[in-house]
Every structure is written in C-alpha cells, then in structure tokens.
Amino acid sequence: MHKLIITVALTGAEVTKDANPNIPVTPDEIASEAYLCQQAGASLVHLHARDNEGKPTQCQEHFRQIIEKVREKTDLIIQVSTGGAVGMHPEERLQPVYLKPEMATLTTGSVNFGDEVFLNPPAYIERFALAIKEQGVKPEIEVFDLGMINNALGLVKKGLLTLPLHFDFVMGVPGGIPASIKNLLHLVESIPDKCTWSVAGIGRHELPLGTAAILLGGHVRVGFEDNIYFEKGKLAESNAQLVERIAQLAGIHNRVVATPDKARQILGI
Ligand code: KMH
Ligand code: ZN
C-alpha cells in the first residue's frame, strides 16, 4: 500500500467561530494551524479564505496572503478551493487558480447542499478544468455523488483532464451521496486503475470513513470544513487534533504517513 496522505481542510466556507471558536480564519491563524497540522502528520492543505468579517471570499489577494504565510511555515502541498461558497460567480471561484498553487479542487457536477444548490453545470466544469490545465495545476476531483466520476471521465475524453486523476469522495453532505462504507466501496470501484482517492466524511462520518480509507489503501481528509467535533458533544480543539488521530490510527494499522514530498510523488505533482 502507498503511504497515507492526510489532507486537512482547515477552514471551509460554511463553519463560523460561533460553531467552533477554534476555527482558523485569518491568514496568520490559517498558517499557524497548517504548521501544527504538518507536525501532526498532514501533507496536503485544502485552503479557503475569509474576508475581514469572516465571510467566505475567493479574492486573489486574500489567497495570496494565506499561501505566502503557509509557505513560510510549512512545505505542505497547497490546494486551493474552486468551490468557494454556494452562490459565488464562477469567475470569482476561479481566482486563486491563477496564483498557480500546486493543486486546486474541481467539482464535476451540481449537488443539493443542505437547503441550497452547489451549482456546477457542464459549462462551468469545462471552464474550470481548462483554467486549471492552463495554469499547470494538479486537479483534485471533488465527488459529491456517483455521477461526478463519469463527468470527470468525460473531461478526460475531451482532453481537459489527464489520467491518472486524484479523486476526493465527499460523503454525507445533505443532498449528496450518503456516507456509508458500501457507498465508499462503490465509488472506489468506479474509478479507473492507477487513480488515487481520498475520502472526506462529513460530521460524525469523518472518523469511520477515514478509518476505512486507511484499511482500503485510500487517503484521508479531515478538518473543520467537514467536521467540528472530536467526538459526540465535544468540539475539536484544533484541526491538528483531528489530523493526529488519523495519524495514530494509521500507525496502529501499519500504514505509514506520507511526508509532503512523498505525497507529491504519489500524486504525480
Ligand atoms: N463550500 C462548498 C460549497 C471545494 O472546496 O472545492 C464547496 C467546497 C468544495 O468547499
Ligand atoms: Zn472546500
């Protein structure tokens, strides 16, 4: 089995300080937290930005500051979000890609997202895939439901994406694929050979699906974007605490945790 890549999604677009006061939102908070996560075993950081009021933004300047500070403190693989927040204009969502980070997300389909819709019609997806390709950035395909895998493979046929792809299965969003082991197996069996995958279980699903990924040879994403609790009724103290638990579980199962450079090699960056 490959070494284990632990991705940490530190901030996201939806969680507020009211929900968990430990969420990092300023560039300094994000960089300090990224450092602690690397110490705990993370090799990849998934970044969102917030404005001065704590609201989600895809503003390039905000991302530039965050990326600079994260690079000063860590050598984590930097992955920017192109999902941003529900309702954002596609060109706004694309802004951080032009900073040429190592990776960027690409969601290959629309999905109900709680009471809202995370809108990714074919024209957006192709636009995003082209921009990501032109900037020389490695995409991570965000899969919120099964059909998104086929949509990504359609983009391979059109020459907008290149195999082997890296998929992230986001499971348990209300409106998306339910977070069960059975569904995870189905997703894993639906991607082409040599592709890599991680799983991001939402809320209480983060830990069991992460454990399954360790055993199945996949990779794991944790962090406040997906889950703010350490256990039922107990908020996580930090993202690093969530990373540390996955690293410990990997050790118990003899799965060695990847350094950022090893993760680059696994992902073909
Ligand atoms: N905030 C969600 C609507 C991504 O980062 O690419 C979308 C999201 C996915 O977070
Ligand atoms: Zn995200």
Short mmCIF file of all heavy atoms in Angstrom, two decimals, residues 9 12-14 46-48 56 58 79-88 93 104-107 111 113 116-120 128 140-142 144 168 170 173 221 225-226, ligand 1:
data_model
loop_
_atom_site.label_atom_id
_atom_site.label_comp_id
_atom_site.label_asym_id
_atom_site.label_seq_id
_atom_site.Cartn_x
_atom_site.Cartn_y
_atom_site.Cartn_z
N ALA A 9 -8.54 20.09 5.75
CA ALA A 9 -9.39 21.17 5.23
C ALA A 9 -9.68 22.07 6.42
O ALA A 9 -10.59 21.81 7.21
CB ALA A 9 -10.66 20.58 4.63
N GLY A 12 -12.82 25.91 5.32
CA GLY A 12 -14.06 25.81 4.57
C GLY A 12 -14.74 27.15 4.41
O GLY A 12 -14.16 28.21 4.69
N ALA A 13 -15.99 27.09 3.95
CA ALA A 13 -16.73 28.32 3.69
C ALA A 13 -17.92 28.48 4.63
O ALA A 13 -18.48 29.57 4.75
CB ALA A 13 -17.22 28.32 2.25
N GLU A 14 -18.30 27.41 5.29
CA GLU A 14 -19.59 27.44 5.99
C GLU A 14 -19.48 27.58 7.51
O GLU A 14 -20.33 28.20 8.14
CB GLU A 14 -20.39 26.16 5.67
CG GLU A 14 -20.90 26.08 4.24
CD GLU A 14 -19.85 25.58 3.24
OE1 GLU A 14 -18.90 24.89 3.66
OE2 GLU A 14 -19.97 25.89 2.03
N HIS A 46 -5.97 21.96 2.25
CA HIS A 46 -7.04 22.46 1.38
C HIS A 46 -7.46 23.82 1.93
O HIS A 46 -7.90 23.93 3.08
CB HIS A 46 -8.20 21.46 1.39
CG HIS A 46 -9.45 21.95 0.75
ND1 HIS A 46 -9.61 22.00 -0.62
CD2 HIS A 46 -10.61 22.41 1.28
CE1 HIS A 46 -10.83 22.47 -0.90
NE2 HIS A 46 -11.45 22.73 0.24
N LEU A 47 -7.31 24.86 1.09
CA LEU A 47 -7.49 26.22 1.59
C LEU A 47 -8.76 26.91 1.08
O LEU A 47 -9.07 26.86 -0.12
CB LEU A 47 -6.30 27.09 1.18
CG LEU A 47 -4.94 26.76 1.80
CD1 LEU A 47 -3.87 27.66 1.19
CD2 LEU A 47 -4.97 26.92 3.32
N HIS A 48 -9.44 27.56 2.00
CA HIS A 48 -10.47 28.56 1.69
C HIS A 48 -10.01 29.86 2.35
O HIS A 48 -9.19 29.84 3.27
CB HIS A 48 -11.82 28.18 2.30
CG HIS A 48 -12.55 27.10 1.55
ND1 HIS A 48 -13.66 27.35 0.78
CD2 HIS A 48 -12.34 25.77 1.47
CE1 HIS A 48 -14.10 26.22 0.25
NE2 HIS A 48 -13.32 25.24 0.67
N PRO A 56 -16.84 34.04 3.58
CA PRO A 56 -16.02 33.39 2.55
C PRO A 56 -15.74 34.32 1.37
O PRO A 56 -16.62 35.08 0.96
CB PRO A 56 -16.87 32.19 2.11
CG PRO A 56 -18.24 32.45 2.62
CD PRO A 56 -18.13 33.36 3.79
N GLN A 58 -13.21 34.46 -2.44
CA GLN A 58 -12.23 33.83 -3.34
C GLN A 58 -11.24 34.88 -3.85
O GLN A 58 -10.50 34.63 -4.82
CB GLN A 58 -12.95 33.16 -4.52
CG GLN A 58 -13.76 31.93 -4.14
CD GLN A 58 -12.92 30.75 -3.72
OE1 GLN A 58 -12.77 30.48 -2.51
NE2 GLN A 58 -12.36 30.03 -4.67
N GLN A 79 -3.44 23.29 -1.79
CA GLN A 79 -4.57 23.06 -2.69
C GLN A 79 -5.60 24.15 -2.43
O GLN A 79 -6.10 24.27 -1.31
CB GLN A 79 -5.18 21.69 -2.41
CG GLN A 79 -6.39 21.35 -3.25
CD GLN A 79 -7.09 20.12 -2.70
OE1 GLN A 79 -7.93 20.21 -1.82
NE2 GLN A 79 -6.71 18.96 -3.20
N VAL A 80 -5.92 24.93 -3.46
CA VAL A 80 -6.94 25.98 -3.26
C VAL A 80 -8.31 25.43 -3.65
O VAL A 80 -8.42 24.55 -4.51
CB VAL A 80 -6.63 27.26 -4.07
CG1 VAL A 80 -5.32 27.87 -3.62
CG2 VAL A 80 -6.66 27.00 -5.57
N SER A 81 -9.32 25.96 -3.02
CA SER A 81 -10.69 25.62 -3.37
C SER A 81 -11.13 26.41 -4.60
O SER A 81 -10.85 27.61 -4.69
CB SER A 81 -11.63 25.97 -2.21
OG SER A 81 -12.97 25.88 -2.62
N THR A 82 -11.81 25.73 -5.53
CA THR A 82 -12.53 26.49 -6.56
C THR A 82 -14.04 26.36 -6.31
O THR A 82 -14.83 26.83 -7.12
CB THR A 82 -12.22 26.00 -7.99
OG1 THR A 82 -12.73 24.68 -8.15
CG2 THR A 82 -10.73 26.04 -8.30
N GLY A 83 -14.38 25.69 -5.21
CA GLY A 83 -15.80 25.57 -4.85
C GLY A 83 -16.27 26.87 -4.21
O GLY A 83 -17.39 27.33 -4.44
N GLY A 84 -15.36 27.47 -3.41
CA GLY A 84 -15.74 28.69 -2.69
C GLY A 84 -16.97 28.43 -1.85
O GLY A 84 -17.05 27.41 -1.15
N ALA A 85 -17.95 29.32 -1.93
CA ALA A 85 -19.20 29.15 -1.19
C ALA A 85 -20.35 29.10 -2.20
O ALA A 85 -20.25 29.64 -3.30
CB ALA A 85 -19.40 30.31 -0.23
N VAL A 86 -21.42 28.45 -1.79
CA VAL A 86 -22.61 28.35 -2.64
C VAL A 86 -23.04 29.75 -3.08
O VAL A 86 -23.03 30.69 -2.28
CB VAL A 86 -23.75 27.66 -1.83
CG1 VAL A 86 -25.10 27.88 -2.48
CG2 VAL A 86 -23.44 26.17 -1.68
N GLY A 87 -23.34 29.89 -4.36
CA GLY A 87 -23.85 31.17 -4.87
C GLY A 87 -22.80 32.07 -5.47
O GLY A 87 -23.12 33.09 -6.09
N MET A 88 -21.53 31.73 -5.32
CA MET A 88 -20.47 32.61 -5.88
C MET A 88 -20.42 32.49 -7.40
O MET A 88 -20.67 31.42 -7.96
CB MET A 88 -19.10 32.21 -5.33
CG MET A 88 -18.82 32.73 -3.96
SD MET A 88 -17.18 32.15 -3.44
CE MET A 88 -17.05 33.01 -1.87
N ARG A 93 -14.87 32.24 -8.25
CA ARG A 93 -14.39 30.97 -7.70
C ARG A 93 -13.03 30.58 -8.26
O ARG A 93 -12.23 29.93 -7.59
CB ARG A 93 -15.43 29.86 -7.99
CG ARG A 93 -16.65 29.93 -7.10
CD ARG A 93 -17.77 29.01 -7.56
NE ARG A 93 -17.35 27.64 -7.76
CZ ARG A 93 -18.14 26.68 -8.24
NH1 ARG A 93 -19.39 26.95 -8.56
NH2 ARG A 93 -17.68 25.47 -8.38
N ALA A 104 -5.66 22.36 -7.14
CA ALA A 104 -6.94 23.06 -6.99
C ALA A 104 -8.05 22.03 -7.09
O ALA A 104 -7.91 21.01 -7.77
CB ALA A 104 -7.11 24.12 -8.08
N THR A 105 -9.16 22.31 -6.41
CA THR A 105 -10.29 21.38 -6.49
C THR A 105 -11.09 21.62 -7.76
O THR A 105 -11.08 22.72 -8.33
CB THR A 105 -11.22 21.55 -5.28
OG1 THR A 105 -11.65 22.91 -5.21
CG2 THR A 105 -10.52 21.16 -3.99
N LEU A 106 -11.79 20.58 -8.18
CA LEU A 106 -12.69 20.68 -9.33
C LEU A 106 -13.89 19.78 -9.06
O LEU A 106 -13.74 18.55 -9.04
CB LEU A 106 -11.97 20.24 -10.61
CG LEU A 106 -12.85 20.17 -11.86
CD1 LEU A 106 -13.39 21.54 -12.25
CD2 LEU A 106 -12.06 19.58 -13.04
N THR A 107 -15.04 20.39 -8.81
CA THR A 107 -16.25 19.59 -8.57
C THR A 107 -16.94 19.36 -9.91
O THR A 107 -17.28 20.32 -10.60
CB THR A 107 -17.19 20.31 -7.59
OG1 THR A 107 -16.49 20.53 -6.37
CG2 THR A 107 -18.44 19.48 -7.30
N VAL A 111 -24.91 19.67 -7.03
CA VAL A 111 -25.45 18.84 -5.94
C VAL A 111 -26.27 19.73 -5.01
O VAL A 111 -25.90 20.90 -4.78
CB VAL A 111 -24.29 18.14 -5.18
CG1 VAL A 111 -23.34 19.12 -4.52
CG2 VAL A 111 -24.79 17.12 -4.16
N PHE A 113 -27.15 21.09 -1.54
CA PHE A 113 -26.17 21.31 -0.47
C PHE A 113 -26.96 21.87 0.71
O PHE A 113 -27.15 23.07 0.82
CB PHE A 113 -25.13 22.31 -1.00
CG PHE A 113 -23.83 22.34 -0.26
CD1 PHE A 113 -22.80 21.45 -0.56
CD2 PHE A 113 -23.62 23.28 0.74
CE1 PHE A 113 -21.59 21.51 0.13
CE2 PHE A 113 -22.42 23.34 1.43
CZ PHE A 113 -21.39 22.44 1.12
N GLU A 116 -29.54 24.53 -0.11
CA GLU A 116 -29.09 25.29 -1.27
C GLU A 116 -28.60 24.34 -2.38
O GLU A 116 -28.69 23.13 -2.24
CB GLU A 116 -27.98 26.25 -0.84
CG GLU A 116 -28.49 27.24 0.20
CD GLU A 116 -27.40 28.13 0.73
OE1 GLU A 116 -26.52 27.62 1.41
OE2 GLU A 116 -27.45 29.33 0.46
N VAL A 117 -28.10 24.94 -3.45
CA VAL A 117 -27.56 24.13 -4.56
C VAL A 117 -26.13 24.58 -4.82
O VAL A 117 -25.87 25.77 -4.99
CB VAL A 117 -28.38 24.31 -5.86
CG1 VAL A 117 -27.80 23.44 -6.97
CG2 VAL A 117 -29.84 23.96 -5.64
N PHE A 118 -25.22 23.62 -4.83
CA PHE A 118 -23.83 23.90 -5.23
C PHE A 118 -23.80 23.66 -6.73
O PHE A 118 -23.83 22.53 -7.20
CB PHE A 118 -22.90 22.96 -4.45
CG PHE A 118 -21.44 23.14 -4.76
CD1 PHE A 118 -20.89 24.36 -5.12
CD2 PHE A 118 -20.58 22.04 -4.66
CE1 PHE A 118 -19.54 24.50 -5.39
CE2 PHE A 118 -19.23 22.17 -4.93
CZ PHE A 118 -18.71 23.42 -5.31
N LEU A 119 -23.78 24.76 -7.47
CA LEU A 119 -24.06 24.72 -8.91
C LEU A 119 -22.78 24.54 -9.72
O LEU A 119 -21.87 25.38 -9.66
CB LEU A 119 -24.73 26.05 -9.28
CG LEU A 119 -25.49 26.09 -10.60
CD1 LEU A 119 -26.66 25.12 -10.59
CD2 LEU A 119 -25.98 27.51 -10.88
N ASN A 120 -22.74 23.45 -10.47
CA ASN A 120 -21.59 23.16 -11.35
C ASN A 120 -22.07 22.56 -12.66
O ASN A 120 -21.85 21.38 -12.93
CB ASN A 120 -20.61 22.20 -10.65
CG ASN A 120 -20.01 22.81 -9.40
OD1 ASN A 120 -19.21 23.73 -9.47
ND2 ASN A 120 -20.44 22.32 -8.24
N PHE A 128 -13.56 25.61 -15.69
CA PHE A 128 -12.65 25.40 -14.56
C PHE A 128 -11.52 24.44 -14.94
O PHE A 128 -10.35 24.68 -14.64
CB PHE A 128 -13.40 24.82 -13.35
CG PHE A 128 -14.23 25.81 -12.57
CD1 PHE A 128 -14.86 26.86 -13.20
CD2 PHE A 128 -14.38 25.68 -11.21
CE1 PHE A 128 -15.63 27.78 -12.50
CE2 PHE A 128 -15.14 26.59 -10.48
CZ PHE A 128 -15.77 27.64 -11.12
N GLU A 140 -7.87 18.17 -8.08
CA GLU A 140 -8.45 17.11 -7.23
C GLU A 140 -9.95 17.11 -7.54
O GLU A 140 -10.60 18.14 -7.37
CB GLU A 140 -8.22 17.39 -5.75
CG GLU A 140 -8.92 16.36 -4.84
CD GLU A 140 -8.68 16.60 -3.37
OE1 GLU A 140 -7.60 16.22 -2.86
OE2 GLU A 140 -9.56 17.20 -2.71
N ILE A 141 -10.44 15.98 -8.03
CA ILE A 141 -11.84 15.91 -8.43
C ILE A 141 -12.70 15.69 -7.18
O ILE A 141 -12.57 14.67 -6.51
CB ILE A 141 -12.08 14.76 -9.45
CG1 ILE A 141 -11.05 14.83 -10.59
CG2 ILE A 141 -13.51 14.80 -9.96
CD1 ILE A 141 -11.04 16.11 -11.38
N GLU A 142 -13.55 16.67 -6.89
CA GLU A 142 -14.43 16.56 -5.72
C GLU A 142 -15.71 15.85 -6.15
O GLU A 142 -16.44 16.35 -7.01
CB GLU A 142 -14.78 17.94 -5.16
CG GLU A 142 -13.60 18.79 -4.78
CD GLU A 142 -12.74 18.18 -3.68
OE1 GLU A 142 -13.27 17.78 -2.64
OE2 GLU A 142 -11.51 18.07 -3.90
N PHE A 144 -19.20 14.54 -5.03
CA PHE A 144 -20.27 14.58 -4.02
C PHE A 144 -21.34 13.54 -4.30
O PHE A 144 -22.22 13.29 -3.48
CB PHE A 144 -20.93 15.97 -3.97
CG PHE A 144 -20.05 17.06 -3.41
CD1 PHE A 144 -18.99 17.59 -4.14
CD2 PHE A 144 -20.31 17.59 -2.15
CE1 PHE A 144 -18.20 18.60 -3.62
CE2 PHE A 144 -19.52 18.60 -1.62
CZ PHE A 144 -18.46 19.11 -2.37
N ASP A 168 -11.46 13.06 -4.61
CA ASP A 168 -11.81 13.17 -3.19
C ASP A 168 -13.31 12.90 -3.07
O ASP A 168 -14.11 13.64 -3.64
CB ASP A 168 -11.48 14.57 -2.66
CG ASP A 168 -11.82 14.72 -1.18
OD1 ASP A 168 -11.50 13.79 -0.41
OD2 ASP A 168 -12.39 15.76 -0.79
N VAL A 170 -16.46 13.20 -1.21
CA VAL A 170 -17.06 13.97 -0.11
C VAL A 170 -18.40 13.31 0.21
O VAL A 170 -19.33 13.37 -0.60
CB VAL A 170 -17.26 15.45 -0.50
CG1 VAL A 170 -17.73 16.25 0.71
CG2 VAL A 170 -15.97 16.03 -1.06
N VAL A 173 -22.79 14.93 2.76
CA VAL A 173 -23.41 16.26 2.61
C VAL A 173 -24.91 16.03 2.43
O VAL A 173 -25.30 15.19 1.61
CB VAL A 173 -22.83 16.99 1.37
CG1 VAL A 173 -23.66 18.22 1.01
CG2 VAL A 173 -21.38 17.38 1.59
N ARG A 221 -9.12 12.78 4.26
CA ARG A 221 -9.21 14.23 4.53
C ARG A 221 -9.98 14.43 5.82
O ARG A 221 -11.04 13.82 6.03
CB ARG A 221 -9.93 14.93 3.37
CG ARG A 221 -10.20 16.40 3.66
CD ARG A 221 -10.70 17.13 2.44
NE ARG A 221 -11.95 17.79 2.70
CZ ARG A 221 -12.54 18.64 1.87
NH1 ARG A 221 -12.00 18.92 0.70
NH2 ARG A 221 -13.68 19.20 2.18
N GLU A 225 -13.59 22.09 8.01
CA GLU A 225 -14.51 22.29 6.87
C GLU A 225 -15.57 21.19 6.86
O GLU A 225 -16.72 21.42 6.49
CB GLU A 225 -13.73 22.28 5.55
CG GLU A 225 -14.64 22.32 4.33
CD GLU A 225 -13.94 22.71 3.04
OE1 GLU A 225 -12.77 23.16 3.10
OE2 GLU A 225 -14.55 22.60 1.99
N ASP A 226 -15.16 19.99 7.26
CA ASP A 226 -16.05 18.83 7.17
C ASP A 226 -16.66 18.46 8.52
O ASP A 226 -17.75 17.89 8.58
CB ASP A 226 -15.27 17.60 6.65
CG ASP A 226 -14.56 17.88 5.33
OD1 ASP A 226 -15.10 18.66 4.53
OD2 ASP A 226 -13.46 17.33 5.12
N1 KMH B 1 -18.11 25.16 0.09
C1 KMH B 1 -18.70 24.21 -0.78
C2 KMH B 1 -19.94 24.78 -1.40
C3 KMH B 1 -14.34 22.90 -2.72
O1 KMH B 1 -13.67 23.43 -1.84
O2 KMH B 1 -13.90 22.74 -3.86
C4 KMH B 1 -17.81 23.72 -1.84
C5 KMH B 1 -16.46 23.28 -1.46
C6 KMH B 1 -15.75 22.45 -2.46
O3 KMH B 1 -15.96 23.57 -0.41
#
